[in-house]
Amino acid sequence: MTGCPLPVDYDDIERAARRISAHVLRTPFALSPSLSELLDVPVGLKLEHHQTTGSFKLRGACNALLSLSPDERKRGIVAASTGNHGRALAHAAKAEGTLATICMSHLVPDNKVSEIRCLGARVHITGTSQDDAQREVERLVEQDGLVMVPPFDNPAVVAGQGTLGLEIADSMPEVGTVLVPLSGGGLASGVALAVKTRHSSVRVIGITMERGAAMKASLDAGRPVEVSEVPSLADSLGGGIGLGNRVTFAMCHALLDDVVLLSEKEIAAGMRHAYAQEREIVEGAGAVGIAALLAGKVDPLGRPVALILSGRNVDMGLHRRIMNGESDLLQEDAA
């Protein structure tokens, strides 16, 4: 796959699978008749939005937390989040008797903030970007001695997310292409490492939104760069990758075969298809794989496709508006 050692290896993912097995669900994998007919190849859906906290983030959060020493857990943990990592970390911390503090920007939807508070975590809302939230994390680490658990740029988090790749490879050994939602790269790099180690010919394609696609911009530039963070239906994919990125940039650069960008209308179409044809409620970030197929932006090359429905934590009022084509965000594509 690459001539250079990566920050995470396949053994790390297998160890993570053993470590978190009692704490996360092995989510279902189902064939989609509608998408299989559209592409004329088998299309499998990894239903990770059925995970305990409603997203894949629980895998990485559990692995990172369980990798900490007893003293580190006692000090308390802190993380920046666009919502799903915070919810997963709050859930894992509550189960282990650890206090979690979650820092988020004002762009994080209210439903995700309230769910984190309900799990007993302390919540700090600051600024208008993930970078602003990360600065608050760094302040709390310095001031209060809390232990930082990053949402993606952390070997234990990447290894935990990579367990999804093991399950996909088990469920569809003949898979030719895997579509993975792409934000900071924790999920994409972990899944890519797992499936490519099992089956070296598999393509792994990152799917993200056109607005503020930080990893795509960084890969194009050959180094981590900053991007402006703006509202999107795929809000969970927002935020930068960090100019000092240590893990996921190198792994995405080495392991991803392509990155596909989607408009807001395409993301909404993916959410509508998930609901109408698959009978699944998913948030925008969870629907991007479906959206890419519907938009004709991925050629399966005659081989089976697997995609991840990564999260369901959408505000239901927004979901209803999207199902009716009423979301204001859809009008901004033309702006």
Side-chain angles (χ1 to χ4, degrees), residues 32-182:
S32 166
S34 62
L35 293 172
S36 299
E37 181 178 1
L38 176 68
L39 272 72
D40 198 29
V41 298
V43 176
L45 309 178
K46 181 59 171 170
L47 306 182
E48 188 63 12
H49 62 303
H50 291 187
Q51 191 55 256
T52 303
T53 58
S55 87
F56 73 94
K57 288 287 191 177
L58 186 60
R59 295 171 183 264
C62 279
N63 194 48
L65 181 61
L66 295 173
S67 299
L68 297 178
S69 69
D71 178 67
E72 288 173 320
R73 294 186 212 175
K74 184 177 179 180
R75 285 160 54 190
I77 56 177
V78 62
S81 177
T82 55
N84 286 337
H85 176 64
R87 183 174 181 177
L89 200 57
H91 175 91
K94 184 177 182 179
E96 295 298 314
T98 301
L99 177 62
T101 300
I102 309 301
C103 301
M104 294 172 282
S105 82
H106 288 281
L107 290 180
V108 176
D110 290 341
N111 69 298
K112 293 186 177 182
V113 175
S114 63
E115 287 159 356
I116 291 169
R117 285 198 171 105
C118 285
L119 287 167
R122 296 190 304 182
V123 171
H124 288 218
I125 306 295
T126 180
T128 58
S129 72
Q130 182 83 333
D131 290 336
D132 291 336
Q134 180 59 34
R135 281 188 280 272
E136 178 68 1
V137 168
E138 292 164 2
R139 185 186 71 81
L140 293 171
V141 169
E142 176 69 22
Q143 174 183 292
D144 298 338
L146 302 182
V147 177
M148 180 170 59
V149 181
F152 54 87
D153 195 38
N154 175 281
V157 169
V158 170
Q161 318 303 26
T163 61
L164 254 174
L166 300 181
E167 294 177 19
I168 290 171
D170 288 342
S171 299
M172 185 179 264
E174 71 280 17
V175 66
T177 300
V178 178
L179 307 183
V180 188
L182 176 63

Side-chain angles (χ1 to χ4, degrees), residues 1-2 6 158 176-197 200-208 213-220 237 241 247-261 306 308:
M1 290 179 291
T2 174
L6 295 173
V158 170
T177 300
V178 178
L179 307 183
V180 188
L182 176 63
S183 178
L187 177 63
S189 57
V191 168
L193 177 60
V195 298
K196 284 174 175 278
T197 301
S200 60
S201 65
V202 175
R203 294 185 306 162
V204 179
I205 299 176
I207 316 293
T208 191
M215 184 60 79
K216 169 63 171 170
S218 297
L219 292 172
D220 287 347
L237 301 184
I241 70 166
V247 179
T248 59
F249 173 77
M251 293 188 69
C252 286
H253 183 268
L255 298 171
L256 291 186
D257 295 283
D258 197 6
V259 176
V260 168
L261 301 180
I308 300 168

Side-chain angles (χ1 to χ4, degrees), residues 319-331:
H319 189 270
R320 284 191 293 271
R321 294 196 298 276
I322 293 169
M323 295 308 103
N324 294 326
E326 298 172 359
S327 172
D328 292 341
L329 284 171
L330 303 184
Q331 308 306 316

